[in-house]
Amino acid sequence: GVCPPNADCFAPKYLRDGARYNPMTDSWSRIAEVPQDVIGYPLTSLTNVAALGDTIYVLAQKSFLSYNVATDQWQRLPFPPGDLVLAFGVADSSLVAVVTIDESPGRVALATFQPNQTSWVRQEVDAGLRGSTTSAAVVGDRLVFVSLATRAGSPQDSLWVIDTLDPTTGVIGHPATQKLET
């Protein structure tokens, strides 16, 4: 976080100001103020940030904003559809988010956002995943899901599994089984 536990500093609740760094001149300059409070997502962390072209996208607790570097302007955008965002980033020239759905533990969907769109497109991906998804990440042009799979007939004998998703084709992959803690 911004201020470590037991440190003698002030941890801001809202972040609205910013600056950009120019490595050629080794200098910082202020940028336009964010049009709304940016509250970390989840509350214990800061924000998720992704860059696509000349635009920086900021996903916070309940806000999704874009900052155009060339024009020094912010824009409010629609929040990804879902209950909780597990992963956010850029894959295959699109913004992608893995979101939980219907407040059901482990059920997830993929939401994509093109810079020229005005809304997110959501598709469920649970059908090919091997367990109840607990976390996800954007890695290169793939999404990686970490899930807890219950072996048939033995709920107490669960296993962590890793699945991948190519957001362009929708193909779910199952990397070679790793020796993971049960």
Side-chain angles (χ1 to χ4, degrees):
V2 175
C3 187
N6 301 323
D8 190 21
C9 60
F10 172 72
K13 214 176 189 182
Y14 307 111
L15 305 172
R16 292 188 101 176
D17 62 344
R20 68 172 134 195
Y21 177 71
N22 182 337
M24 301 299 285
T25 61
D26 190 27
S27 62
W28 288 89
S29 59
R30 292 187 70 78
I31 62 172
E33 189 171 286
V34 180
Q36 68 186 67
D37 291 334
V38 176
I39 303 170
Y41 188 94
L43 289 172
T44 57
S45 69
L46 292 176
T47 56
N48 294 293
V49 177
L52 187 58
D54 286 343
T55 306
I56 298 169
Y57 296 88
V58 179
L59 178 66
Q61 185 181 15
K62 284 295 177 189
S63 61
F64 180 50
L65 305 162
S66 67
Y67 172 74
N68 186 300
V69 175
T71 63
D72 189 33
Q73 292 181 334
W74 288 93
Q75 179 181 3
R76 290 182 180 104
L77 299 170
F79 198 74
D83 299 316
L84 177 68
V85 177
L86 297 179
F88 172 72
V90 174
D92 194 37
S93 302
S94 296
L95 292 168
V96 295
V98 175
V99 297
T100 60
I101 53 176
D102 304 328
E103 296 182 10
S104 301
R107 292 204 53 221
V108 295
L110 169 66
T112 57
F113 188 91
Q114 294 285 339
N116 58 353
Q117 288 178 222
T118 56
S119 63
W120 288 86
V121 176
R122 184 174 110 173
Q123 71 183 63
E124 293 189 30
V125 294
D126 289 329
L129 299 178
R130 297 178 292 171
S132 178
T133 301
T134 59
S135 63
V138 179
V139 181
D141 281 345
R142 302 251 190 247
L143 300 172
V144 177
F145 300 88
V146 177
S147 305
L148 189 59
T150 304
R151 295 184 190 189
S154 182
Q156 69 275 13
D157 191 19
S158 297
L159 173 67
W160 289 104
V161 294
I162 297 173
D163 295 314
T164 62
L165 171 71
D166 180 334
T168 304
T169 64
V171 173
I172 293 177
H174 309 294
T177 304
Q178 302 292 318
K179 300 260 183 193
L180 297 175
E181 295 286 326
T182 56

